[in-house]
Amino acid sequence: MLAVLIFDQLNDVVYLRCDHKFVRHVRAMAHAQRLLGDGQVDLDLVTQLDPNIVVQLFSPLVTSQRIMATQFNNPYTSISCQDGTNVVFKEYAGYLFVGVGNQEESQLQRIVSVAIRMVQLIVGPCVTILKKSEEKCSLLDSLLEAWQNLYGREQSYLVEALERLVVNAELSAAAVKSLATVIDMMKPCKDLSPCHALFFVRNKLLALYSSRSAPELSASDLLFLNLMVAASQIKDGDYTEDAAPKVAVTPEEKREDDGIELDSSDSGEFCSSPNTPSLEESQGKIRSNVLLLRTDTCQLTPHLVHHETLSDGLSLVIVSEVNRTQMSIQLLTLLSGLEEMLSGELNGRGKLILDACDAAVKKSQELAKRIPKGKAFERVERALQQVQYRWDNLKRSGLEDWLKGGDSNVPTRVDASLTSLVDLTRSAWRAACLCISASSTASQVESAVAMASEQMADYCHFLEVKALRNMTLGCRSTLTINKYLEDFPGLVHFLYIDRSTHQLTSPTLLPDEAADVPQDSDTPASRTRSLTVSRVWSMVEFARSHLSKGHLSLMWKDTTFNYAYFLWFEDSSSNPLKVGELDENVIEALPLPGILCDDFYRAFCTQAFPGMDPSRIRIYELFCVHLGLATSPCVLEHTRRLAATIWEVAGSIDANPADLL
């Protein structure tokens, strides 16, 4: 059983994704409490949940959680029930995210954290859009489904690291050349700069090309961009899982309440022209979405993302930054300041927050003048005028006197004005940063996709086959990962991750070959086939549970295999850095191991090496699986050698990693 729910400040359900077991469970509870009308007892024929029933069942729990948070500053993080059900809680932008299921608490925490990051990616702080926009809700559904699917079968999503498809220099150059041409063809697009173009082959990154002024895409955003491709395959029916039940939403709830359109301009898809021969064999449907990627400048940077599947294995993604970054920064600064005021916990910073909000209102008005004249400009201008008007009224309502007084209790009049202005600011941010039309770029994107499809047509089948067996690709004519494993007797499998760039190097696991292995076979391939996927997933989860407690190296074994895990750090000169003792409270405050929600490794560096710039610290992670007969000295010697020579397979790096121990 699994469900992810989002509740607003009034305890209404904004979003629900669940499986059929959860539906039956909830309706059984509702029936027992006589919340169902006559004739609604058949629990196996239900495809929707009445939101009123969900609210009635969960409202006491949600209310209790909010009271613990607001009045006692001690909110629940999780609740365990006698029947084995676990409930976890996380808050974002005033909305409560709840995960319910039979999974372990740590897994539910990861699911809910990923859901929050996806909400940030799709709608930013305007979470209510999910209740009103079927398109945004559907996108979140498909992203979550794609992540759950890939998390259960792809090593790259298990460890949250990019896996590069290793190809020869000629093919790599052809892919980069094609992407460079795509970037050139996108240059005429106004208001969209800088730009990135990527090729994914079955969840592996083949090539990435960026315009000169483009900030680097983070590894987590690259993983999310690949999820977009996988999500579109779910939408097209390439996955066979049953559709998740929904919360029924009334037509009245879908209506917009502030005059800002939701579905007509900010995302969607357009079909390529029927006379484009290079796309006739592909799906011929280019999807476009506004995504809020993380950059060094802004945590919610608006980007327009186009993606198209060129063949069964090869997909093209075009990512263009929209000229709204500074607007996003100013409105988010205003929103953050207003929310701090609402909390009442200003700690003597009232004057600073007031000045920051005042400056943000003025700067956003100036930035709006740079938006090209048209409907988008009029929409943003109207929204910002409302913000300016309410802000002026708020200052006249006694805001400054309250801030100077230092009282933590927000006056009733000020509280009402602040709450209203928060909603208006979110609407203005949405108008400026989400309601962005993709139609104006249709012709350029169409031409770029057609060109890339034509240039890569000869390589598509080759790339698809190689992506399925990335382990058999040789970086040189005499070296493959299989041959590399032969130099380590007893080594069955490994995952090596350069956490400075979050790139994964590992043999490919083939689940369909994991059974019926001859007992007398002792080749690297047969040893790998005897290693089931479930054991690798269990190994990673076990190591993570100890990493969350601050344990950076460990070894353990089961009846068949010997496992080892190491996380180590180096300075820019490849000298090892020793981690001192960290306070237990510091360790508990770190995010979950991984990068999709937050970068655990950078956060760890900040705490472990407070006097150093985290960007100058090199981080490496290594999982090893040996046959059970391997001795501890053998495992340690192999891990040292593997860490020192992995560049032969992974590609050249500045210097070999330092000794593990």
Side-chain angles (χ1 to χ4, degrees):
M1 182 175 73
L2 177 63
V4 176
L5 305 94
I6 304 176
F7 294 91
D8 64 13
Q9 294 83 351
L10 300 176
N11 291 0
D12 287 335
V13 180
V14 174
Y15 173 83
L16 166 62
R17 175 173 174 79
C18 61
D19 57 19
H20 293 281
K21 290 182 179 179
F22 178 81
V23 175
R24 290 194 293 270
H25 183 73
V26 167
R27 288 184 66 83
M29 291 177 63
H31 177 61
Q33 298 182 31
R34 298 183 179 180
L35 298 177
L36 296 177
D38 295 335
Q40 300 184 49
V41 184
D42 194 341
L43 306 179
D44 294 322
L45 300 178
V46 177
T47 58
Q48 289 187 332
L49 280 174
D50 184 339
N52 293 322
I53 292 177
V54 176
V55 169
Q56 287 184 70
L57 290 175
F58 279 87
S59 187
L61 189 62
V62 173
T63 301
S64 174
Q65 207 276 347
R66 291 194 187 280
I67 290 174
M68 290 296 294
T70 57
Q71 296 189 14
F72 300 100
N73 196 28
N74 187 26
Y76 308 133
T77 56
S78 65
I79 294 176
S80 297
C81 304
Q82 290 182 341
D83 65 353
T85 301
N86 288 317
V87 184
V88 301
F89 304 89
K90 283 184 177 294
E91 190 168 325
Y92 167 66
Y95 295 82
L96 186 64
F97 288 67
V98 180
V100 183
N102 302 121
Q103 293 82 352
E104 293 291 330
E105 179 189 333
S106 60
Q107 180 61 11
L108 278 176
Q109 292 282 8
R110 185 172 297 277
I111 292 170
V112 172
S113 297
V114 168
I116 291 175
R117 179 67 189 101
M118 288 178 179
V119 168
Q120 293 173 332
L121 193 76
I122 298 170
V123 297
C126 303
V127 183
T128 303
I129 296 178
L130 295 171
K131 190 173 184 178
K132 303 172 182 178
S133 170
E134 291 183 7
E135 187 174 349
K136 296 293 187 185
C137 185
S138 176
L139 178 57
L140 180 56
D141 277 344
S142 56
L143 281 175
L144 279 170
E145 184 173 347
W147 175 76
Q148 286 180 270
N149 186 292
L150 294 178
Y151 183 84
R153 63 183 178 86
E154 289 283 345
Q155 294 181 120
S156 57
Y157 279 88
L158 172 67
V159 298
E160 299 184 8
L162 280 170
E163 185 173 4
R164 299 295 296 262
L165 186 63
V166 186
V167 296
N168 59 44
E170 179 184 355
L171 179 49
S172 179
V176 171
K177 182 179 178 181
S178 179
L179 294 177
T181 307
V182 168
I183 296 294
D184 288 338
M185 296 178 73
M186 293 296 294
K187 285 181 178 178
C189 297
K190 295 181 180 179
D191 210 30
L192 294 176
S193 179
C195 194
H196 310 266
L198 311 87
F199 280 132
F200 286 109
V201 184
R202 291 197 176 275
N203 308 310
K204 297 176 178 63
L205 180 64
L206 171 63
L208 164 64
Y209 189 87
S210 305
S211 58
R212 289 186 178 181
S213 57
E216 185 177 352
L217 287 173
S218 68
S220 62
D221 282 342
L222 288 172
L223 288 171
F224 278 119
L225 290 172
N226 179 69
L227 271 181
M228 289 286 296
V229 175
S232 67
Q233 295 170 349
I234 292 175
K235 192 174 182 181
D236 290 333
D238 291 355
Y239 290 84
T240 58
E241 294 185 20
D242 295 333
K246 305 287 184 183
V247 169
V249 180
T250 64
E252 289 75 15
E253 289 175 323
K254 295 179 184 178
R255 294 175 186 166
E256 186 49 62
D257 58 1
D258 54 13
I260 296 175
E261 302 95 299
L262 288 172
D263 300 326
S264 60
S265 62
D266 57 346
S267 62
E269 56 193 35
F270 54 87
C271 295
S272 57
S273 303
N275 60 352
T276 308
S278 59
L279 289 178
E280 286 179 351
E281 295 182 359
S282 70
Q283 296 177 19
K285 189 163 34 178
I286 302 170
R287 288 180 170 80
S288 303
N289 294 92
V290 175
L291 294 184
L292 303 157
L293 305 182
R294 288 178 174 174
T295 63
D296 292 338
T297 307
C298 178
Q299 288 293 296
L300 298 175
T301 304
H303 286 75
L304 189 57
V305 179
H306 306 280
H307 57 99
E308 162 70 323
T309 300
L310 306 182
S311 71
D312 286 342
L314 179 64
S315 299
L316 170 66
V317 181
I318 304 172
V319 184
S320 302
E321 184 176 333
V322 185
N323 188 21
R324 301 284 195 280
T325 303
Q326 291 302 317
M327 179 70 78
S328 181
I329 291 172
Q330 297 306 324
L331 290 176
L332 290 174
T333 299
L334 174 60
L335 188 59
S336 175
L338 295 174
E339 289 173 342
E340 274 195 80
M341 293 181 197
L342 268 175
S343 72
E345 299 176 2
L346 303 178
N347 299 320
R349 298 178 58 250
K351 183 65 167 59
L352 290 175
I353 295 172
L354 180 67
D355 291 343
C357 290
D358 212 26
V361 171
K362 293 176 182 177
K363 288 179 182 177
S364 59
Q365 297 273 5
E366 296 171 3
L367 290 167
K369 298 175 182 178
R370 303 180 188 178
I371 299 175
K373 296 296 186 290
K375 288 184 178 180
F377 169 76
E378 294 173 1
R379 186 167 55 231
V380 175
E381 184 182 44
R382 185 168 60 250
L384 289 177
Q385 285 174 350
Q386 294 178 20
V387 169
Q388 176 75 64
Y389 176 75
R390 291 292 181 88
W391 173 245
D392 291 339
N393 282 345
L394 174 62
K395 289 193 292 183
R396 288 194 291 267
S397 69
L399 176 66
E400 294 186 59
D401 292 337
W402 168 65
L403 291 175
K404 290 177 182 178
D407 185 5
S408 60
N409 295 317
V410 187
T412 303
R413 185 180 176 188
V414 172
D415 184 271
S417 298
L418 281 172
T419 302
S420 175
L421 186 53
V422 164
D423 292 337
L424 273 178
T425 303
R426 285 177 177 162
S427 296
W429 181 88
R430 180 167 73 229
C433 302
L434 277 187
C435 297
I436 298 166
S437 175
S439 58
S440 61
T441 65
S443 59
Q444 287 91 348
V445 173
E446 218 175 278
S447 299
V449 169
M451 179 279 305
S453 180
E454 183 177 352
Q455 290 189 352
M456 298 299 292
D458 293 339
Y459 305 108
C460 287
H461 180 68
F462 172 82
L463 289 170
E464 182 182 355
V465 173
K466 290 302 182 183
L468 292 173
R469 292 176 176 267
N470 200 26
M471 64 183 293
T472 61
L473 274 172
C475 300
R476 303 183 307 198
S477 59
T478 59
L479 179 66
T480 65
I481 293 183
N482 271 340
K483 185 171 180 59
Y484 184 75
L485 281 174
E486 291 177 357
D487 294 333
F488 298 86
L491 178 63
V492 176
H493 191 65
F494 69 87
L495 295 97
Y496 172 84
I497 308 155
D498 182 343
R499 282 298 178 187
S500 303
T501 57
H502 302 292
Q503 290 199 29
L504 166 69
T505 302
S506 175
T508 303
L509 279 176
L510 301 176
D512 56 331
E513 296 183 3
D516 300 326
V517 180
Q519 294 296 319
D520 57 350
S521 177
D522 192 31
T523 64
S526 65
R527 294 199 301 268
T528 301
R529 286 196 297 270
S530 69
L531 178 67
T532 61
V533 171
S534 61
R535 276 186 162 129
V536 174
W537 263 242
S538 297
M539 170 187 68
V540 172
E541 291 302 323
F542 183 82
R544 276 177 171 168
S545 67
H546 282 269
L547 181 59
S548 298
K549 299 173 184 177
H551 304 153
L552 306 186
S553 61
L554 57 148
M555 294 176 61
W556 71 101
K557 63 184 347 180
D558 58 21
T559 56
T560 309
F561 296 108
N562 220 324
Y563 306 93
Y565 171 76
F566 301 95
L567 179 71
W568 72 101
F569 306 86
E570 301 173 3
D571 62 20
S572 55
S573 301
S574 299
N575 299 311
L577 297 173
K578 186 175 181 180
V579 179
E581 289 291 330
L582 292 179
D583 186 84
E584 187 175 333
N585 294 329
V586 170
I587 295 175
E588 289 180 355
L590 292 173
L592 293 170
I595 62 171
L596 286 183
C597 310
D598 285 299
D599 193 333
F600 167 88
Y601 304 93
R602 288 299 171 197
F604 189 95
C605 283
T606 301
Q607 298 297 332
F609 311 105
M612 296 184 65
D613 180 358
S615 64
R616 300 180 65 85
I617 300 174
R618 294 175 177 174
I619 313 166
Y620 301 95
E621 193 172 33
L622 179 62
F623 299 84
C624 284
V625 185
H626 284 76
L627 292 176
L629 296 176
T631 63
S632 296
C634 173
V635 171
L636 292 173
E637 195 274 332
H638 280 185
T639 53
R640 287 192 183 97
R641 257 200 313 133
L642 194 149
T645 61
I646 192 65
W647 62 271
E648 297 179 22
V649 174
S652 171
I653 55 177
D654 295 339
N656 293 339
D659 192 289
L660 283 175
L661 306 174

